[in-house]
Amino acid sequence: MSKIIPVSKNDYIDVVFEDLTHDGAGVAKVDGYPLFVPNGLPGEKAKVKVIKTGKGYGFGRLIELYEKSPNRVDIASSESHKYGGCQLEHISYEGQLKYKENQVRQVLTRIGKLEDVIVHPILGMDEPWHYRNKAQVPVGEKDGKLIAGFFKPRSHEIVETNESLIQLPEINEAVQAVKEICTKLGIPSYNEEKHTGVLRHIMARYGLKSGELMVVIVTRTADLPQKNQLVEELVTRLPKVKSIVHNVNNKRTNVILGDKTKVLWGAEVIYDYIGDVKFAISALSFYQVNPVQTKVLYDKALEYAGLSGEESVIDAYCGIGTISLFLAQRAKKVFGVEVVSEAIDDAKRNAELNGLTNAEFTAGEAEVVIPKWYMDGNAADVLVVDPPRKGCDEALLNTIIEMKPKKVVYVSCNPATLARDLRILEDGGYKAVEVQPVDMFPHTTHVECISQLVLKM
Ligand SMILES: C[S@@+](CC[C@H](N)C(=O)[O-])C[C@H]1O[C@@H](n2cnc3c(N)ncnc32)[C@H](O)[C@@H]1O
Protein backbone atom coordinates (compact mmCIF):
# COMPACT_ATOMS: atom_id res chain seq x y z
CA MET A 1 0.00 0.00 0.00
CA SER A 2 1.48 3.40 -0.91
CA LYS A 3 2.10 5.85 1.91
CA ILE A 4 -0.06 8.95 2.16
CA ILE A 5 1.86 12.20 1.62
CA PRO A 6 0.84 14.45 4.53
CA VAL A 7 1.20 17.79 2.67
CA SER A 8 0.11 19.15 -0.71
CA LYS A 9 1.61 21.66 -3.09
CA ASN A 10 0.87 25.29 -2.07
CA ASP A 11 0.06 24.35 1.56
CA TYR A 12 1.35 26.79 4.18
CA ILE A 13 2.55 24.90 7.25
CA ASP A 14 4.47 25.53 10.47
CA VAL A 15 7.59 23.41 10.94
CA VAL A 16 10.69 22.98 13.10
CA PHE A 17 13.94 22.26 11.22
CA GLU A 18 15.84 19.23 12.49
CA ASP A 19 18.85 18.92 10.21
CA LEU A 20 20.64 20.17 7.09
CA THR A 21 21.01 18.31 3.79
CA HIS A 22 24.42 17.88 2.13
CA ASP A 23 23.63 20.94 -0.01
CA GLY A 24 22.76 23.14 2.96
CA ALA A 25 18.92 23.09 2.88
CA GLY A 26 16.96 22.80 6.14
CA VAL A 27 15.18 19.49 6.77
CA ALA A 28 11.78 19.53 8.50
CA LYS A 29 9.63 16.44 9.03
CA VAL A 30 5.83 16.42 8.75
CA ASP A 31 4.55 13.12 10.22
CA GLY A 32 7.94 11.63 9.27
CA TYR A 33 7.78 13.00 5.71
CA PRO A 34 10.95 15.08 4.98
CA LEU A 35 10.56 18.52 3.50
CA PHE A 36 13.71 20.25 2.19
CA VAL A 37 13.67 24.03 2.60
CA PRO A 38 16.58 26.23 1.50
CA ASN A 39 17.68 28.70 4.18
CA GLY A 40 16.16 26.82 7.16
CA LEU A 41 18.51 26.02 10.07
CA PRO A 42 18.27 23.24 12.67
CA GLY A 43 16.24 24.33 15.71
CA GLU A 44 14.40 27.12 13.86
CA LYS A 45 10.59 27.38 13.86
CA ALA A 46 9.15 28.70 10.61
CA LYS A 47 6.23 29.00 8.27
CA VAL A 48 6.96 27.35 4.90
CA LYS A 49 5.09 27.00 1.63
CA VAL A 50 5.13 23.53 0.06
CA ILE A 51 6.25 23.93 -3.53
CA LYS A 52 6.72 20.33 -4.67
CA THR A 53 5.91 16.88 -3.31
CA GLY A 54 7.40 13.55 -4.34
CA LYS A 55 6.92 10.00 -3.06
CA GLY A 56 9.62 10.05 -0.43
CA TYR A 57 10.21 13.78 0.18
CA GLY A 58 9.13 17.27 -0.81
CA PHE A 59 10.45 20.82 -1.18
CA GLY A 60 9.33 24.04 0.45
CA ARG A 61 10.09 27.76 0.53
CA LEU A 62 10.78 29.65 3.73
CA ILE A 63 8.05 32.26 4.28
CA GLU A 64 8.52 33.47 7.85
CA LEU A 65 10.92 32.69 10.66
CA TYR A 66 9.27 32.51 14.09
CA GLU A 67 12.40 31.52 16.02
CA LYS A 68 15.95 32.06 14.78
CA SER A 69 18.92 29.77 15.38
CA PRO A 70 21.84 31.29 17.33
CA ASN A 71 23.94 30.17 14.34
CA ARG A 72 22.07 32.47 11.93
CA VAL A 73 23.94 35.56 10.74
CA ASP A 74 22.85 38.47 8.61
CA ILE A 75 23.66 37.70 5.03
CA ALA A 76 26.42 40.05 4.09
CA SER A 77 25.90 39.56 0.37
CA SER A 78 22.58 38.10 -0.57
CA GLU A 79 23.46 37.88 -4.27
CA SER A 80 26.35 35.54 -3.69
CA HIS A 81 24.20 33.59 -1.23
CA LYS A 82 21.47 33.07 -3.76
CA TYR A 83 23.47 32.69 -6.93
CA GLY A 84 27.17 32.67 -6.25
CA GLY A 85 27.49 29.27 -4.66
CA CYS A 86 27.68 30.62 -1.07
CA GLN A 87 24.86 28.39 0.18
CA LEU A 88 26.00 28.56 3.82
CA GLU A 89 26.53 32.30 4.09
CA HIS A 90 23.53 32.63 6.45
CA ILE A 91 25.28 30.37 9.01
CA SER A 92 28.01 31.65 11.37
CA TYR A 93 31.44 30.38 10.35
CA GLU A 94 31.63 28.30 13.52
CA GLY A 95 28.23 26.80 12.64
CA GLN A 96 29.41 26.04 9.09
CA LEU A 97 32.46 24.21 10.40
CA LYS A 98 30.35 22.15 12.77
CA TYR A 99 27.94 21.30 9.94
CA LYS A 100 30.76 20.16 7.64
CA GLU A 101 32.48 18.11 10.32
CA ASN A 102 29.20 16.38 11.24
CA GLN A 103 28.51 15.68 7.62
CA VAL A 104 31.90 13.94 7.24
CA ARG A 105 31.33 11.89 10.41
CA GLN A 106 27.82 10.85 9.34
CA VAL A 107 28.81 9.85 5.82
CA LEU A 108 31.82 7.81 6.99
CA THR A 109 29.55 5.86 9.33
CA ARG A 110 26.50 5.55 7.06
CA ILE A 111 28.21 4.81 3.73
CA GLY A 112 31.61 3.53 4.81
CA LYS A 113 30.52 1.69 7.99
CA LEU A 114 33.77 3.04 9.45
CA GLU A 115 33.00 3.05 13.14
CA ASP A 116 36.47 3.46 14.62
CA VAL A 117 38.26 5.80 12.22
CA ILE A 118 39.45 8.95 14.01
CA VAL A 119 37.80 12.05 12.54
CA HIS A 120 39.69 15.14 13.66
CA PRO A 121 38.02 18.52 14.22
CA ILE A 122 37.85 20.34 10.89
CA LEU A 123 40.65 22.79 10.09
CA GLY A 124 38.94 26.09 9.24
CA MET A 125 40.32 29.46 8.18
CA ASP A 126 41.17 32.30 10.58
CA GLU A 127 39.90 34.75 7.96
CA PRO A 128 37.22 32.93 5.97
CA TRP A 129 36.47 35.77 3.51
CA HIS A 130 38.22 36.88 0.32
CA TYR A 131 40.11 33.62 -0.16
CA ARG A 132 39.53 32.67 -3.81
CA ASN A 133 42.45 33.35 -6.15
CA LYS A 134 40.40 32.89 -9.30
CA ALA A 135 37.14 34.05 -10.86
CA GLN A 136 35.53 33.40 -14.21
CA VAL A 137 32.46 35.53 -14.66
CA PRO A 138 30.02 35.67 -17.57
CA VAL A 139 29.42 39.03 -19.25
CA GLY A 140 26.10 40.40 -20.46
CA GLU A 141 24.48 43.77 -21.10
CA LYS A 142 21.82 45.78 -19.30
CA ASP A 143 20.65 49.29 -20.18
CA GLY A 144 23.58 49.77 -22.54
CA LYS A 145 26.17 48.84 -19.90
CA LEU A 146 28.21 45.67 -19.55
CA ILE A 147 27.32 43.58 -16.53
CA ALA A 148 29.26 40.65 -15.07
CA GLY A 149 28.26 38.32 -12.27
CA PHE A 150 26.55 35.00 -11.67
CA PHE A 151 24.05 33.04 -13.67
CA LYS A 152 20.74 32.58 -11.85
CA PRO A 153 20.35 28.85 -11.12
CA ARG A 154 18.84 26.91 -14.02
CA SER A 155 18.84 30.03 -16.17
CA HIS A 156 21.21 32.04 -18.30
CA GLU A 157 20.19 35.36 -16.83
CA ILE A 158 23.20 37.19 -15.38
CA VAL A 159 22.89 38.83 -11.98
CA GLU A 160 25.25 41.81 -11.76
CA THR A 161 27.74 41.40 -8.90
CA ASN A 162 30.23 44.11 -8.18
CA GLU A 163 32.04 42.47 -5.32
CA SER A 164 32.27 38.82 -4.31
CA LEU A 165 33.05 38.43 -0.63
CA ILE A 166 34.85 35.14 -1.18
CA GLN A 167 37.20 36.37 -3.89
CA LEU A 168 40.50 38.11 -3.21
CA PRO A 169 40.23 41.91 -3.61
CA GLU A 170 42.70 41.81 -6.53
CA ILE A 171 40.31 39.48 -8.37
CA ASN A 172 37.29 41.72 -7.75
CA GLU A 173 39.28 44.78 -8.89
CA ALA A 174 40.42 43.04 -12.08
CA VAL A 175 36.88 41.99 -13.05
CA GLN A 176 35.54 45.49 -12.38
CA ALA A 177 38.35 47.07 -14.37
CA VAL A 178 37.78 44.89 -17.47
CA LYS A 179 34.03 45.47 -17.29
CA GLU A 180 34.30 49.25 -16.97
CA ILE A 181 37.02 49.71 -19.58
CA CYS A 182 35.21 47.47 -22.10
CA THR A 183 31.98 49.46 -21.50
CA LYS A 184 33.86 52.70 -22.13
CA LEU A 185 35.47 51.34 -25.30
CA GLY A 186 32.10 50.07 -26.57
CA ILE A 187 33.18 46.41 -26.78
CA PRO A 188 29.88 44.50 -27.01
CA SER A 189 29.03 41.52 -24.82
CA TYR A 190 28.30 38.08 -26.24
CA ASN A 191 24.67 37.23 -26.90
CA GLU A 192 24.23 33.59 -26.08
CA GLU A 193 20.84 33.12 -27.75
CA LYS A 194 21.86 34.63 -31.07
CA HIS A 195 25.53 33.58 -30.80
CA THR A 196 26.59 37.12 -31.73
CA GLY A 197 28.65 39.81 -30.00
CA VAL A 198 32.16 39.62 -28.55
CA LEU A 199 32.91 39.47 -24.82
CA ARG A 200 31.88 36.15 -23.20
CA HIS A 201 33.77 35.85 -19.91
CA ILE A 202 36.28 37.69 -17.79
CA MET A 203 38.71 35.48 -15.95
CA ALA A 204 41.24 36.62 -13.35
CA ARG A 205 43.87 34.71 -11.39
CA TYR A 206 46.11 35.96 -8.64
CA GLY A 207 49.21 34.48 -7.03
CA LEU A 208 48.72 35.27 -3.35
CA LYS A 209 52.39 34.85 -2.45
CA SER A 210 53.89 36.23 -5.66
CA GLY A 211 51.47 39.17 -5.96
CA GLU A 212 51.14 38.47 -9.72
CA LEU A 213 47.84 39.01 -11.51
CA MET A 214 46.63 37.43 -14.77
CA VAL A 215 43.63 38.71 -16.72
CA VAL A 216 42.05 36.52 -19.38
CA ILE A 217 39.52 38.00 -21.79
CA VAL A 218 37.34 35.38 -23.46
CA THR A 219 35.66 36.38 -26.71
CA ARG A 220 33.55 34.68 -29.37
CA THR A 221 35.41 36.49 -32.14
CA ALA A 222 39.02 35.84 -33.12
CA ASP A 223 39.49 39.60 -33.10
CA LEU A 224 39.31 41.66 -29.93
CA PRO A 225 38.28 45.19 -30.91
CA GLN A 226 40.26 48.06 -29.34
CA LYS A 227 42.71 45.63 -27.82
CA ASN A 228 45.65 48.06 -27.65
CA GLN A 229 43.58 50.65 -25.81
CA LEU A 230 42.14 47.97 -23.52
CA VAL A 231 45.61 46.66 -22.63
CA GLU A 232 46.97 50.15 -22.03
CA GLU A 233 44.15 51.06 -19.67
CA LEU A 234 44.30 47.72 -17.82
CA VAL A 235 48.05 48.05 -17.23
CA THR A 236 47.55 51.57 -15.86
CA ARG A 237 44.65 50.60 -13.64
CA LEU A 238 45.97 47.24 -12.35
CA PRO A 239 49.56 47.68 -11.12
CA LYS A 240 49.87 43.98 -10.17
CA VAL A 241 49.00 42.66 -13.62
CA LYS A 242 51.79 40.55 -15.15
CA SER A 243 49.88 38.81 -17.92
CA ILE A 244 46.94 39.76 -20.15
CA VAL A 245 45.66 36.90 -22.27
CA HIS A 246 43.04 36.69 -25.02
CA ASN A 247 41.16 33.39 -25.26
CA VAL A 248 38.85 32.65 -28.19
CA ASN A 249 35.81 30.45 -27.71
CA ASN A 250 33.58 30.52 -30.81
CA LYS A 251 31.49 27.45 -29.94
CA ARG A 252 27.90 27.36 -28.68
CA THR A 253 28.83 25.79 -25.36
CA ASN A 254 28.73 26.20 -21.58
CA VAL A 255 32.48 25.48 -21.44
CA ILE A 256 34.14 28.78 -20.58
CA LEU A 257 37.54 28.64 -22.24
CA GLY A 258 38.25 27.84 -25.89
CA ASP A 259 41.42 26.18 -27.22
CA LYS A 260 43.05 29.29 -28.73
CA THR A 261 45.00 31.47 -26.34
CA LYS A 262 47.15 34.46 -27.24
CA VAL A 263 49.19 36.62 -24.89
CA LEU A 264 48.22 40.28 -25.44
CA TRP A 265 50.67 41.74 -22.96
CA GLY A 266 53.28 40.52 -20.46
CA ALA A 267 54.06 36.89 -19.65
CA GLU A 268 52.36 33.65 -20.69
CA VAL A 269 52.20 32.48 -17.06
CA ILE A 270 52.06 33.89 -13.56
CA TYR A 271 53.87 32.24 -10.67
CA ASP A 272 52.76 31.29 -7.21
CA TYR A 273 54.16 29.31 -4.30
CA ILE A 274 52.73 26.63 -2.03
CA GLY A 275 55.18 26.51 0.84
CA ASP A 276 58.56 26.81 -0.89
CA VAL A 277 57.49 25.12 -4.12
CA LYS A 278 57.03 27.47 -7.05
CA PHE A 279 54.37 26.87 -9.69
CA ALA A 280 53.90 28.34 -13.16
CA ILE A 281 50.20 28.81 -13.82
CA SER A 282 48.95 29.32 -17.36
CA ALA A 283 45.47 30.48 -18.36
CA LEU A 284 44.27 26.93 -18.95
CA SER A 285 45.91 25.09 -15.99
CA PHE A 286 44.05 23.73 -12.96
CA TYR A 287 45.30 25.28 -9.73
CA GLN A 288 43.72 25.05 -6.27
CA VAL A 289 41.55 28.13 -5.59
CA ASN A 290 42.23 28.56 -1.87
CA PRO A 291 46.00 29.00 -1.50
CA VAL A 292 45.96 29.38 2.31
CA GLN A 293 44.13 26.10 2.91
CA THR A 294 46.01 24.29 0.12
CA LYS A 295 49.15 24.65 2.23
CA VAL A 296 47.26 23.24 5.25
CA LEU A 297 46.06 20.28 3.15
CA TYR A 298 49.45 19.53 1.61
CA ASP A 299 51.21 19.75 5.00
CA LYS A 300 48.79 17.04 6.16
CA ALA A 301 49.56 14.99 3.04
CA LEU A 302 53.24 15.20 3.94
CA GLU A 303 52.55 14.24 7.56
CA TYR A 304 50.32 11.29 6.59
CA ALA A 305 52.83 10.06 3.98
CA GLY A 306 55.45 9.95 6.77
CA LEU A 307 58.41 10.09 4.36
CA SER A 308 62.01 9.44 5.44
CA GLY A 309 63.66 10.14 2.08
CA GLU A 310 63.88 6.48 1.04
CA GLU A 311 60.36 5.97 -0.30
CA SER A 312 59.03 5.57 -3.77
CA VAL A 313 55.71 7.43 -4.05
CA ILE A 314 52.92 7.33 -6.65
CA ASP A 315 50.68 10.41 -6.92
CA ALA A 316 47.58 9.36 -8.88
CA TYR A 317 45.39 12.18 -10.31
CA CYS A 318 48.35 14.58 -9.95
CA GLY A 319 47.12 17.61 -11.97
CA ILE A 320 50.05 20.01 -12.52
CA GLY A 321 52.10 18.07 -9.97
CA THR A 322 51.32 20.16 -6.91
CA ILE A 323 51.17 17.32 -4.34
CA SER A 324 53.86 15.33 -6.20
CA LEU A 325 56.38 18.17 -5.99
CA PHE A 326 55.48 18.94 -2.39
CA LEU A 327 56.22 15.26 -1.54
CA ALA A 328 59.29 15.08 -3.80
CA GLN A 329 61.08 17.34 -1.31
CA ARG A 330 61.09 14.42 1.16
CA ALA A 331 60.84 11.25 -1.00
CA LYS A 332 63.38 9.25 -2.97
CA LYS A 333 61.24 9.30 -6.11
CA VAL A 334 57.71 10.44 -7.00
CA PHE A 335 55.72 9.22 -10.02
CA GLY A 336 52.72 11.38 -10.95
CA VAL A 337 49.86 10.27 -13.25
CA GLU A 338 47.22 12.56 -14.74
CA VAL A 339 44.76 12.22 -17.62
CA VAL A 340 45.12 15.80 -18.98
CA SER A 341 48.33 15.85 -21.01
CA GLU A 342 48.70 19.68 -20.82
CA ALA A 343 48.72 19.39 -17.03
CA ILE A 344 51.51 16.80 -17.30
CA ASP A 345 53.52 19.28 -19.45
CA ASP A 346 53.00 21.87 -16.68
CA ALA A 347 54.02 19.34 -14.00
CA LYS A 348 57.29 18.58 -15.84
CA ARG A 349 57.99 22.31 -16.21
CA ASN A 350 57.23 22.88 -12.53
CA ALA A 351 59.65 20.10 -11.50
CA GLU A 352 62.38 21.82 -13.53
CA LEU A 353 61.48 25.22 -12.12
CA ASN A 354 62.16 23.89 -8.63
CA GLY A 355 65.21 21.84 -9.56
CA LEU A 356 63.42 18.66 -8.43
CA THR A 357 64.91 15.82 -10.48
CA ASN A 358 63.26 12.99 -8.54
CA ALA A 359 59.74 13.50 -9.94
CA GLU A 360 58.53 11.80 -13.14
CA PHE A 361 55.16 12.47 -14.77
CA THR A 362 53.06 10.31 -17.09
CA ALA A 363 49.92 11.25 -19.01
CA GLY A 364 47.14 8.68 -18.89
CA GLU A 365 44.31 7.26 -16.82
CA ALA A 366 45.42 6.29 -13.33
CA GLU A 367 43.38 3.07 -13.53
CA VAL A 368 45.26 2.04 -16.70
CA VAL A 369 48.78 3.37 -16.07
CA ILE A 370 49.23 2.22 -12.44
CA PRO A 371 48.03 -1.41 -13.02
CA LYS A 372 50.47 -1.56 -15.94
CA TRP A 373 53.33 -0.32 -13.78
CA TYR A 374 52.45 -2.99 -11.23
CA MET A 375 52.31 -5.73 -13.88
CA ASP A 376 55.79 -4.59 -14.99
CA GLY A 377 57.04 -5.18 -11.45
CA ASN A 378 56.96 -1.60 -10.14
CA ALA A 379 55.40 -0.91 -6.75
CA ALA A 380 55.29 2.12 -4.44
CA ASP A 381 55.87 2.43 -0.69
CA VAL A 382 53.30 5.23 -0.44
CA LEU A 383 50.40 5.89 -2.79
CA VAL A 384 48.54 9.20 -2.86
CA VAL A 385 45.19 9.65 -4.60
CA ASP A 386 43.35 12.94 -5.16
CA PRO A 387 40.51 11.94 -7.53
CA PRO A 388 37.65 14.07 -8.91
CA ARG A 389 34.26 13.99 -7.12
CA LYS A 390 33.34 10.53 -8.43
CA GLY A 391 36.21 8.99 -6.46
CA CYS A 392 38.72 6.32 -7.51
CA ASP A 393 38.12 3.88 -10.30
CA GLU A 394 37.61 0.31 -9.05
CA ALA A 395 40.51 -0.98 -11.17
CA LEU A 396 42.84 1.43 -9.37
CA LEU A 397 41.54 0.40 -5.94
CA ASN A 398 42.06 -3.28 -6.86
CA THR A 399 45.63 -2.55 -7.94
CA ILE A 400 46.33 -0.71 -4.68
CA ILE A 401 45.06 -3.75 -2.75
CA GLU A 402 47.34 -6.06 -4.77
CA MET A 403 50.34 -3.73 -4.79
CA LYS A 404 50.16 -3.28 -0.99
CA PRO A 405 51.88 0.10 -0.52
CA LYS A 406 52.54 0.52 3.22
CA LYS A 407 50.54 3.72 3.31
CA VAL A 408 47.77 5.25 1.25
CA VAL A 409 46.96 8.95 1.54
CA TYR A 410 43.49 9.70 0.16
CA VAL A 411 42.64 13.36 -0.62
CA SER A 412 38.97 13.85 -1.43
CA CYS A 413 36.54 16.63 -2.30
CA ASN A 414 33.51 14.34 -1.84
CA PRO A 415 32.97 12.61 1.54
CA ALA A 416 30.46 10.14 0.03
CA THR A 417 32.88 8.64 -2.50
CA LEU A 418 35.69 8.82 0.07
CA ALA A 419 33.59 6.71 2.46
CA ARG A 420 32.78 4.21 -0.31
CA ASP A 421 36.45 3.86 -1.33
CA LEU A 422 37.76 3.65 2.25
CA ARG A 423 35.37 0.74 2.82
CA ILE A 424 36.74 -1.06 -0.28
CA LEU A 425 40.33 -0.48 0.90
CA GLU A 426 39.48 -1.62 4.44
CA ASP A 427 37.96 -4.84 3.07
CA GLY A 428 41.11 -5.24 0.98
CA GLY A 429 43.53 -5.22 3.91
CA TYR A 430 43.95 -1.55 4.91
CA LYS A 431 43.03 0.25 8.08
CA ALA A 432 41.61 3.77 7.67
CA VAL A 433 43.36 5.32 10.66
CA GLU A 434 42.35 8.95 10.57
CA VAL A 435 40.45 11.52 8.51
CA GLN A 436 41.18 15.23 8.63
CA PRO A 437 38.46 17.49 7.18
CA VAL A 438 39.81 20.80 5.83
CA ASP A 439 37.61 23.77 4.95
CA MET A 440 38.91 24.77 1.54
CA PHE A 441 35.68 26.51 0.50
CA PRO A 442 34.17 28.60 3.34
CA HIS A 443 30.50 29.63 2.90
CA THR A 444 29.89 26.86 0.35
CA THR A 445 28.70 23.33 1.10
CA HIS A 446 31.95 21.78 -0.13
CA VAL A 447 34.37 20.08 2.23
CA GLU A 448 37.77 18.54 1.54
CA CYS A 449 39.13 15.57 3.51
CA ILE A 450 42.45 13.87 3.77
CA SER A 451 42.75 10.37 5.12
CA GLN A 452 45.60 8.09 6.13
CA LEU A 453 45.37 4.34 5.58
CA VAL A 454 47.98 1.82 6.65
CA LEU A 455 48.45 -1.75 5.49
CA LYS A 456 47.28 -4.22 8.15
CA MET A 457 49.97 -6.75 9.08
C1 LIG B 1 40.89 17.00 -7.63
S1 LIG B 1 41.99 17.22 -8.96
C2 LIG B 1 43.53 17.03 -8.14
C3 LIG B 1 44.69 17.69 -8.80
C4 LIG B 1 45.95 17.86 -7.96
N1 LIG B 1 46.21 16.75 -7.09
C5 LIG B 1 45.91 19.17 -7.17
O1 LIG B 1 45.82 19.15 -5.94
O2 LIG B 1 46.00 20.23 -7.80
C6 LIG B 1 41.76 15.71 -9.82
C7 LIG B 1 42.61 15.52 -11.06
O3 LIG B 1 42.38 14.21 -11.60
C8 LIG B 1 42.43 14.27 -13.01
N2 LIG B 1 41.76 13.05 -13.49
C9 LIG B 1 40.44 12.81 -13.67
N3 LIG B 1 40.22 11.54 -14.02
C10 LIG B 1 41.44 10.92 -14.08
C11 LIG B 1 41.88 9.60 -14.37
N4 LIG B 1 41.00 8.65 -14.68
N5 LIG B 1 43.19 9.34 -14.30
C12 LIG B 1 44.09 10.30 -13.97
N6 LIG B 1 43.72 11.59 -13.69
C13 LIG B 1 42.42 11.90 -13.74
C14 LIG B 1 41.78 15.60 -13.32
O4 LIG B 1 42.16 16.03 -14.60
C15 LIG B 1 42.32 16.49 -12.20
O5 LIG B 1 43.54 17.11 -12.57
Side-chain angles (χ1 to χ4, degrees):
M1 214 171 66
S2 66
K3 265 194 176 168
I4 295 168
I5 299 169
V7 289
S8 305
K9 190 176 168 179
N10 295 331
D11 279 357
Y12 284 85
I13 52 169
D14 288 347
V15 299
V16 179
F17 294 109
E18 298 176 13
D19 205 352
L20 284 172
T21 62
H22 70 279
D23 52 4
V27 184
K29 297 229 173 104
V30 184
D31 297 337
Y33 178 81
L35 210 51
F36 303 138
V37 183
N39 222 350
L41 296 185
E44 291 187 329
K45 286 188 183 159
K47 178 191 278 188
V48 305
K49 181 180 179 184
V50 178
I51 54 172
K52 196 175 172 186
T53 56
K55 251 193 209 162
Y57 53 86
F59 296 91
R61 184 179 309 132
L62 187 67
I63 302 294
E64 189 184 343
L65 267 180
Y66 301 130
E67 266 178 42
K68 283 188 185 178
S69 158
N71 280 325
R72 181 173 286 277
V73 289
D74 276 344
I75 295 168
S77 130
S78 62
E79 280 172 351
S80 55
H81 176 63
K82 269 172 143 167
Y83 314 119
C86 293
Q87 309 90 339
L88 304 186
E89 220 178 35
H90 59 303
I91 310 179
S92 65
Y93 189 51
E94 208 179 303
Q96 292 181 21
L97 292 176
K98 227 181 280 163
Y99 155 74
K100 292 186 184 187
E101 194 182 307
N102 281 344
Q103 195 203 345
V104 171
R105 286 180 198 282
Q106 279 175 16
V107 165
L108 289 173
T109 313
R110 184 166 48 83
I111 299 178
K113 310 276 179 275
L114 296 153
E115 307 292 346
D116 56 354
V117 62
I118 300 163
V119 180
H120 296 287
I122 188 167
L123 297 171
M125 296 188 80
D126 293 337
E127 299 287 340
W129 298 102
H130 296 295
Y131 61 85
R132 278 187 68 99
N133 59 8
K134 176 182 164 186
Q136 12 191 43
V137 291
V139 181
E141 239 166 89
K142 201 175 176 187
D143 307 327
K145 254 182 63 194
L146 292 183
I147 56 166
F150 303 111
F151 282 125
K152 268 190 178 174
R154 293 173 297 281
S155 109
H156 277 209
E157 186 188 332
I158 295 169
V159 182
E160 163 92 296
T161 312
N162 292 322
E163 193 202 4
S164 162
L165 295 176
I166 60 170
Q167 278 161 206
L168 286 165
E170 288 80 1
I171 297 290
N172 285 329
E173 278 164 30
V175 172
Q176 282 294 104
V178 176
K179 196 173 65 176
E180 286 169 19
I181 298 167
C182 288
T183 298
K184 194 179 108 186
L185 296 176
I187 301 172
S189 72
Y190 173 60
N191 181 315
E192 204 181 356
E193 252 170 53
K194 297 185 192 149
H195 194 53
T196 55
V198 178
L199 191 57
R200 293 179 73 133
H201 275 83
I202 302 166
M203 176 172 148
R205 275 190 139 151
Y206 183 65
L208 185 65
K209 257 196 167 173
S210 65
E212 297 185 355
L213 177 69
M214 172 185 273
V215 172
V216 183
I217 295 155
V218 187
T219 65
R220 178 190 65 89
T221 49
D223 185 41
L224 172 57
Q226 311 258 41
K227 63 173 175 255
N228 294 341
Q229 187 68 18
L230 173 60
V231 163
E232 204 180 306
E233 296 209 20
L234 280 175
V235 173
T236 311
R237 186 154 158 187
L238 302 169
K240 293 183 176 174
V241 75
K242 288 284 174 298
S243 165
I244 303 176
V245 173
H246 176 200
N247 177 272
V248 181
N249 184 354
N250 59 11
K251 297 202 179 112
R252 282 181 180 269
T253 169
N254 286 339
V255 177
I256 295 173
L257 296 171
D259 303 330
K260 277 189 220 140
T261 299
K262 196 176 150 204
V263 178
L264 292 179
W265 181 89
E268 189 191 345
V269 295
I270 55 166
Y271 294 99
D272 198 25
Y273 295 83
I274 302 173
D276 294 329
V277 187
K278 187 174 183 180
F279 294 97
I281 309 154
S282 61
L284 302 182
S285 339
F286 172 86
Y287 187 64
Q288 294 279 359
V289 296
N290 184 333
V292 174
Q293 292 298 82
T294 299
K295 171 76 169 50
V296 172
L297 185 74
Y298 289 2
D299 279 340
K300 261 292 153 202
L302 208 49
E303 181 192 322
Y304 283 176
L307 302 173
S308 67
E310 289 308 310
E311 294 82 1
S312 154
V313 180
I314 292 176
D315 179 17
Y317 310 95
C318 71
I320 61 166
T322 35
I323 298 181
S324 319
L325 296 179
F326 213 68
L327 298 183
Q329 301 174 103
R330 303 264 185 90
K332 186 168 177 193
K333 185 99 196 189
V334 178
F335 300 88
V337 185
E338 158 66 45
V339 76
V340 177
S341 63
E342 290 84 356
I344 286 295
D345 295 340
D346 285 346
K348 288 178 181 167
R349 220 179 301 151
N350 286 329
E352 262 176 48
L353 193 64
N354 291 281
L356 290 164
T357 52
N358 60 339
E360 236 176 65
F361 294 97
T362 305
E365 290 174 318
E367 60 273 23
V368 174
V369 174
I370 296 170
K372 189 168 176 304
W373 282 348
Y374 180 58
M375 297 264 283
D376 293 344
N378 301 308
D381 303 301
V382 176
L383 203 141
V384 180
V385 294
D386 183 6
R389 288 189 66 75
K390 66 178 182 189
C392 290
D393 190 278
E394 218 181 314
L396 175 63
L397 294 172
N398 289 338
T399 299
I400 296 175
I401 289 165
E402 282 171 34
M403 186 191 281
K404 297 187 175 38
K406 284 192 225 65
K407 276 185 193 142
V408 175
V409 179
Y410 195 131
V411 183
S412 160
C413 55
N414 182 349
T417 52
L418 172 71
R420 179 199 67 196
D421 292 350
L422 291 187
R423 169 48 44 211
I424 294 172
L425 291 170
E426 279 239 345
D427 292 344
Y430 281 87
K431 168 89 196 88
V433 183
E434 49 194 318
V435 173
Q436 175 63 68
V438 180
D439 192 22
M440 300 280 282
F441 314 102
H443 312 290
T444 78
T445 50
H446 298 287
V447 57
E448 193 87 10
C449 288
I450 179 162
S451 174
Q452 188 203 46
L453 297 106
V454 294
L455 189 63
K456 284 189 245 178
M457 288 301 145

